[in-house]
Amino acid sequence: MRLFFLVCFDISDDKKRYRAVKVLKAYGVRVQKSVFECPNLTEHRFVRMKEQLDAVIDHSTDTFRFYFLCRECVARTEFSGIGEPPVTVSYRII
């Protein structure tokens, strides 16, 4: 089963933030400075991504939030201004 996650973060240290962004770019698309859309993840890839991110952050000052979005939620995503709608072609939920 393929999953779609919205990942948001708040990291205070520039070096750690850079490392986290590097990890997230391997799994998704940056849609805002601290927000990534990660489509087409298997459960295994999601767990692996979380482990890599947990290794980067300071758990006493930084945070990550992972939002699972169902197919209908992704299809109903709205935005204003610049940007592209979420990539939905390459994933599906069974």
Side-chain angles (χ1 to χ4, degrees):
M1 179 181 348
R2 303 293 178 166
L3 308 170
F4 189 108
F5 285 89
L6 184 69
V7 181
C8 309
F9 61 89
D10 187 10
I11 301 173
S12 54
D13 181 74
D14 289 339
K15 201 175 203 179
K16 290 178 183 179
R17 187 170 43 255
Y18 174 78
R19 284 191 221 134
V21 166
K22 188 174 179 182
V23 169
L24 285 166
K25 282 183 176 180
Y27 293 94
V29 177
R30 192 178 208 167
V31 293
Q32 293 183 352
K33 288 190 179 190
S34 61
V35 180
F36 277 76
E37 291 176 344
C38 300
N40 204 27
L41 294 183
T42 61
E43 187 174 343
H44 175 74
R45 281 182 49 88
F46 173 68
V47 169
R48 190 167 157 205
M49 177 182 70
K50 280 182 63 175
E51 289 171 349
Q52 290 174 323
L53 293 171
D54 276 341
V56 169
I57 67 169
D58 178 343
H59 291 269
S60 65
T61 59
D62 304 330
T63 185
F64 273 97
R65 291 186 178 265
F66 305 93
Y67 296 95
F68 167 78
L69 298 179
C70 68
R71 175 180 287 170
E72 290 79 20
C73 295
V74 174
R76 294 181 58 197
T77 299
E78 295 182 21
F79 65 94
S80 297
I82 62 170
E84 300 287 328
V87 176
T88 58
V89 177
S90 61
Y91 89 103
R92 81 175 193 208
I93 299 173
I94 299 173

